[in-house]
Amino acid sequence: MRTIQAAAITEAVARLCIQANTYLPADIVAALDRQRKAEPWPLAKETLGLLWDNMKLAEETHMPVCQDTGMACVFVELGQDVHIEGDFEAAIHEGVRQGYGEGYLRKSIVGDPLRRVNTEDNTPAAITVRLVPGDRCTLTVAPKGFGSENMSRLGMLKPADGVEGVKNFVIETVRLAGSNPCPPIVLGIGIGGSFDKVAYLAKHALLRPIDQPNPAPYYAQLENELLEAVNALGVGPQGFGGQTTCLGLSIETAPTHVAGLPVAVNVSCHVTRRATEEL
């Protein structure tokens, strides 16, 4: 049994909040660089260049890459041989409070969905914990802005809809979103499970680097087909047209009931942020 102090978790979360909001992951940077060079439509190419310049400026000045510094989604892989000395969830919330304060990050969380009073420190975090073998604790902070989150959809399809129904649902989601999620977008797609599980799968899919295909060849091929179909919509960067509507997408699946085919699409903008630290 290995003990981790709650204070160490707070410190790590605070660091990750600032890091994730300032520096985009290498796979997103590479995709944006590739598309800004390859995009043939002049207006789209210019727009991608502006997004690139903004990203580089954020790195150089240590400023947030987007003004919407998001809801702090914290994913935890907690080793079953780890003992947390202190209040685990409180430590994560305190890390978000400190990180968003020290990093001068925008506080966007309201404490009640209808009465809309800002908590003024971006807490509480949205925490997801998965128990894994071992004596390590891996923390991933993935701030999620709501311009893109609001464009996400969940559908309870019929099994007879099959793979074509899934494709149509994903493509329709992007078409309906249009320019609202600040494309080029990144898509996390969940297929299977239950109503609540499929939403988790879609969110979790955004944690996989977009240059890493699904390990199952069938779903890796489906990812390629969907990416091609989405980019063929011609929405383009910021809705100005062109062939760069989506930088990449990832599919996660789970077993489901014989009578169901749940599908969820979690839409993210090109500022798909995530930062990870292992304790």
Side-chain angles (χ1 to χ4, degrees):
M1 183 67 68
R2 177 168 169 264
T3 297
I4 297 176
Q5 298 295 323
I9 293 173
T10 294
E11 293 170 4
V13 170
R15 284 193 298 271
L16 291 171
C17 286
I18 297 172
Q19 178 184 339
N21 275 294
T22 308
Y23 307 99
L24 291 183
D27 59 298
I28 302 296
V29 173
L32 187 59
D33 189 28
R34 181 174 60 252
Q35 290 307 119
R36 76 186 177 103
K37 295 173 180 176
E39 175 61 58
W41 176 240
L43 183 54
K45 190 177 189 70
E46 179 183 1
T47 303
L48 290 170
L50 292 172
L51 296 179
W52 178 264
D53 292 344
N54 175 75
M55 181 199 70
K56 300 305 288 186
L57 188 61
E59 292 178 357
E60 293 166 4
T61 60
H62 307 291
M63 297 287 284
V65 69
C66 177
Q67 55 85 22
D68 183 354
T69 52
M71 172 179 279
C73 300
V74 181
F75 294 84
V76 183
E77 291 189 349
L78 184 62
Q80 60 191 18
D81 297 321
V82 171
H83 169 68
I84 305 297
E85 186 72 37
D87 191 320
F88 179 59
E89 288 200 357
I92 293 176
H93 296 318
E94 180 59 26
V96 170
R97 181 178 296 108
Q98 292 182 15
Y100 274 72
E102 294 167 7
Y104 298 100
L105 306 175
R106 195 184 84 182
K107 289 81 173 175
S108 302
I109 302 303
V110 295
D112 182 276
L114 294 180
R115 288 172 286 187
R116 315 300 292 181
V117 177
N118 197 298
T119 64
E120 299 184 354
D121 57 10
N122 220 61
T123 66
I127 304 172
T128 302
V129 180
R130 185 166 72 95
L131 288 176
V132 297
D135 63 356
R136 300 290 174 178
C137 177
T138 302
L139 301 163
T140 298
V141 173
K144 191 64 170 67
F146 265 58
S148 58
E149 188 79 350
N150 286 338
M151 297 296 104
S152 302
R153 297 171 72 223
L154 187 154
M156 303 300 290
L157 306 186
K158 298 183 292 293
D161 292 327
V163 67
E164 290 303 316
V166 170
K167 289 180 181 179
N168 291 337
F169 185 82
V170 173
I171 294 167
E172 182 186 33
T173 297
V174 177
R175 182 183 61 79
L176 291 173
S179 64
N180 290 311
C182 294
I185 57 176
V186 176
L187 299 177
I189 300 169
I191 306 173
S194 56
F195 180 86
D196 54 327
K197 178 72 170 181
V198 76
Y200 161 78
L201 291 172
K203 178 74 74 180
H204 195 264
L206 290 174
L207 302 185
R208 172 154 50 93
I210 57 176
D211 56 5
Q212 295 181 14
N214 190 294
Y218 176 84
Y219 286 104
Q221 178 61 32
L222 182 57
E223 288 174 342
N224 289 332
E225 292 175 7
L226 280 170
L227 182 60
E228 183 177 336
V230 166
N231 280 323
L233 291 173
V235 176
Q238 304 299 301
F240 293 141
Q243 66 180 23
T244 311
T245 297
C246 183
L247 294 176
L249 59 84
S250 301
I251 296 173
E252 297 292 334
T253 66
T256 191
H257 191 279
V258 66
L261 180 56
V263 182
V265 181
N266 197 194
V267 181
S268 183
C269 64
H270 81 282
V271 183
T272 295
R273 297 160 288 191
R274 41 182 146 76
T276 300
E277 185 171 329
E278 182 181 86
L279 299 176

